[in-house]
């Protein structure tokens, strides 16, 4: 990496670090790094939006930092994500959410991998404000074509959910299954990816969560890109006994090393 690009990267990171730890519902598939034989990689996304509505100022900040380290034999991968989202107005804090995820991945062969992970997350707008979990499972590459790549995974998760609104702390055993498909043309002018997660409780299959994310990336240089993400999340049973869903559309800028 040449010095000018590295200097610009340090400047951007210096601006982002105070608040860089997107929303509580983060699609891990969109954060994975396909770096082949490169042992260390780091990505950063940042977006800022300011609006004035009839004299009321609203500021929105989204930041994400992702890093990956591979062992010398390239079979073990250590992966860490930190994200943060803030929506603030003159009158009150409209949203405050953070997410931390650490993952270990061991490659048995080209098709099968073992995964173990730890995760902590907080979102003040949801009934379950904070969720901490640990999990382990398998990941399979089910498609490996020139322009298409597909993965599927299944994991066991133990989670602790805190709800101040309901006054509860729940300890759950949950299954997590995901399916992802991505496309990138030969020109590499853009790439798209869609991922769906399904997470039911083992003791009550009617209690489940669904997360779907569609992402479009458009590189403007080898180290710089613009992106758009649509997220949809549904929880069939909250601690208050009702359903809950969220959706959002986000546009931003990203850098890659």
């Amino acid at each position: 990496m040449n010095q000018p690009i590295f200097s610009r990267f340090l400047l951007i990171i210096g601006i982002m670090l105070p608040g860089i730890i997107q929303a509580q519902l983060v699609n891990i598939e969109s954060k994975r790094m396909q770096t082949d034989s490169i042992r260390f990689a780091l990505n950063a996304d940042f977006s800022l939006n300011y609006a004035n509505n009839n004299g009321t100022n609203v500021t929105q900040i989204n930041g994400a930092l992702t890093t990956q380290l591979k062992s010398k034999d390239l079979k073990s991968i250590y992966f860490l994500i930190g994200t943060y989202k803030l929506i603030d107005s003159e009158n009150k804090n409209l949203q405050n959410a953070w997410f931390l995820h650490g993952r270990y991945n061991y490659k048995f062969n080209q098709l099968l991998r073992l995964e173990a992970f730890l995760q902590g997350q907080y979102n003040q707008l949801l009934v379950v404000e904070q969720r901490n979990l640990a999990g382990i499972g398998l990941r399979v590459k089910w498609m490996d074509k020139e322009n298409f790549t597909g993965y599927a995974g299944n994991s066991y998760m133990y989670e602790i959910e805190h709800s101040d609104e309901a006054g509860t702390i729940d300890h759950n055993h949950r299954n997590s299954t995901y399916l992802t498909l991505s496309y990138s043309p030969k020109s590499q002018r853009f790439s798209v990816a869609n991922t769906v997660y399904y997470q039911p409780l083992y003791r009550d299959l009617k209690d489940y969560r669904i997360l779907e994310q569609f992402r479009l990336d458009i590189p403007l240089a080898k180290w710089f890109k613009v992106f758009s993400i649509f997220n949809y999340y549904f929880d069939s049973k909250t601690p208050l006994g009702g359903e809950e869903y969220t959706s959002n559309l986000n546009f931003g800028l990203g850098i890659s090393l």
Side-chain angles (χ1 to χ4, degrees):
M1 181 173 54
N2 61 45
Q3 188 64 31
I5 293 178
F6 184 68
S7 299
R8 278 176 285 181
F9 167 75
L10 289 179
L11 177 60
I12 294 173
I13 291 299
I15 296 173
M16 294 170 60
L17 278 178
I20 202 166
I21 320 226
Q22 239 140 44
Q24 179 188 15
L25 312 169
V26 174
N27 174 16
I28 302 302
E29 284 300 298
S30 71
K31 301 295 182 180
R32 292 180 188 267
M33 299 176 172
Q34 307 301 327
T35 55
D36 299 324
S37 60
I38 300 174
R39 294 187 58 203
F40 175 77
L42 185 147
N43 285 343
D45 293 344
F46 178 75
S47 61
L48 172 66
N49 181 65
Y50 173 80
N52 187 311
N53 302 301
N54 295 323
T56 300
N57 299 320
V58 178
T59 302
Q60 178 173 338
I61 299 173
N62 290 276
L65 183 66
T66 307
T67 185
Q68 176 177 283
L69 177 65
K70 292 185 178 183
S71 61
K72 290 183 178 180
D73 61 6
L74 303 181
K75 289 187 176 182
S76 294
I77 301 176
Y78 303 89
F79 186 61
L80 179 65
I81 302 173
T83 71
Y84 181 72
K85 181 174 184 177
L86 174 68
I87 304 177
D88 187 57
S89 71
E90 294 177 347
N91 299 324
K92 63 178 180 178
N93 189 298
L94 301 178
Q95 184 172 9
N96 186 13
W98 57 261
F99 177 93
L100 289 172
H101 182 96
R103 179 171 294 243
Y104 171 75
N105 183 304
Y106 182 80
K107 184 177 180 179
F108 292 114
N109 51 51
Q110 293 298 322
L111 298 179
L112 184 63
R113 299 187 180 191
L114 172 72
E115 294 187 312
F117 51 90
L118 296 171
Q119 183 171 298
Q121 54 199 102
Y122 173 83
N123 190 329
Q124 72 178 52
L125 295 183
L126 300 181
V127 174
V128 177
E129 292 92 355
Q130 185 167 347
R131 177 181 293 117
N132 301 314
L133 60 86
I136 187 170
L138 296 174
R139 171 179 172 85
V140 178
K141 179 184 286 188
W142 61 273
M143 179 176 289
D144 188 12
K145 303 295 184 180
E146 183 177 1
N147 304 116
F148 290 91
T149 303
Y151 289 92
N154 186 267
S155 300
Y156 159 80
M157 298 192 310
Y158 172 71
E159 64 180 14
I160 304 174
E161 297 184 332
H162 300 257
S163 174
D164 292 337
E165 186 176 350
T168 60
I169 300 178
D170 294 324
H171 300 256
N172 297 321
H173 301 276
R174 191 180 292 272
N175 182 266
S176 179
T177 301
Y178 65 84
L179 183 69
T180 182
L181 180 65
S182 59
Y183 170 77
S184 180
K186 292 182 179 180
S187 64
Q188 297 185 345
R189 292 182 178 178
F190 71 94
S191 64
V192 295
N194 192 77
T195 304
V196 179
Y197 285 83
Y198 173 64
Q199 298 179 336
L201 285 180
Y202 285 107
R203 59 179 170 82
D204 182 8
L205 296 181
K206 294 181 180 180
D207 187 338
Y208 62 89
R209 301 193 300 254
I210 293 176
L211 168 64
E212 179 171 12
Q213 181 184 92
F214 178 84
R215 175 165 181 143
L216 168 66
D217 288 280
I218 302 177
L220 302 180
K222 290 184 178 181
W223 64 279
F224 181 68
K225 66 182 177 182
V226 296
F227 64 87
S228 176
I229 302 175
F230 174 76
N231 287 305
Y232 175 79
Y233 170 82
F234 176 77
D235 190 342
S236 68
K237 187 181 295 186
T238 72
L240 294 177
E243 298 178 349
E244 183 176 54
Y245 74 91
T246 65
S247 63
N248 64 76
L249 180 62
N250 185 38
F251 299 92
L253 308 174
I255 60 175
S256 299
L257 291 178

